[in-house]
Amino acid sequence: ELADNEMIRDFGRLLMLTGCRKFELCGMAWSEINWDDGFWRIPDARAKAGSRIVTLDSIALSILKDRHARKTSAFVFPGHGALGHLTDPGSAFEKVRAS
C-alpha cells in the first residue's frame, strides 16, 4: 500500500508540474522521456491535439529518476489492467487523502 501511495503522490506532483491531462500522464512510458534534453514526448494516440512536447523541470526529472530507479514496467505508472498502466487515479487519490 505504501508503494501505491508513493505512486499516487508522484502522479499528483507530476500532474501539477507538467500541466498535462490525467489520461496523458497515466500512459506515460519510459521510452517517451528524453533524459538528456529534459522533455517528454506525448504520442499522437494519447495527446488530445496530436503529439506534443512537455518540458520537464528539475523537480519533475528528479521525481522521474527516483521512480526509474525502482521501475517494474515499461510505464512510469504501472497498473494491473489490460493496458499495463494506471487508468483512473481517482479512487487512489481518495484513499491517499483519507489516510
Side-chain angles (χ1 to χ4, degrees), residues 8 13 19 33 35 53 59 62 65 67 82 84 86 89 94-95:
I8 296 306
R13 290 171 69 197
I33 299 168
W35 297 101
I53 303 294
I59 299 169
S62 177
K65 285 178 184 172
R67 293 197 62 73
L86 187 67
E94 290 305 315
K95 275 198 258 182

Side-chain angles (χ1 to χ4, degrees), residues 8 11 22 26 86-97:
I8 296 306
F11 185 89
K22 286 189 290 188
C26 281
L86 187 67
T87 56
D88 181 13
S91 60
F93 272 130
E94 290 305 315
K95 275 198 258 182
V96 171
R97 262 188 22 178

Side-chain angles (χ1 to χ4, degrees), residues 4 7 25 27 29 35 48 51 57 59 65 69 74 82 93:
D4 288 343
M7 182 170 69
L25 191 58
W35 297 101
K48 191 172 182 177
S51 71
D57 67 11
I59 299 169
K65 285 178 184 172
F93 272 130

Side-chain angles (χ1 to χ4, degrees), residues 6-71:
E6 289 175 354
M7 182 170 69
I8 296 306
R9 178 202 64 206
D10 292 347
F11 185 89
R13 290 171 69 197
L14 285 172
L15 201 60
M16 289 185 289
L17 290 166
T18 62
C20 67
R21 294 172 178 86
K22 286 189 290 188
F23 177 73
E24 294 170 335
L25 191 58
C26 281
M28 180 188 233
W30 292 115
S31 61
E32 299 167 356
I33 299 168
N34 182 312
W35 297 101
D36 295 330
D37 297 325
F39 68 83
W40 166 36
R41 183 187 171 279
I42 304 173
D44 288 344
R46 218 168 48 254
K48 191 172 182 177
S51 71
R52 65 187 180 104
I53 303 294
V54 176
T55 302
L56 301 169
D57 67 11
S58 61
I59 299 169
L61 284 169
S62 177
I63 293 166
L64 290 168
K65 285 178 184 172
D66 286 346
R67 293 197 62 73
H68 191 260
R70 303 180 310 249
K71 83 174 186 172

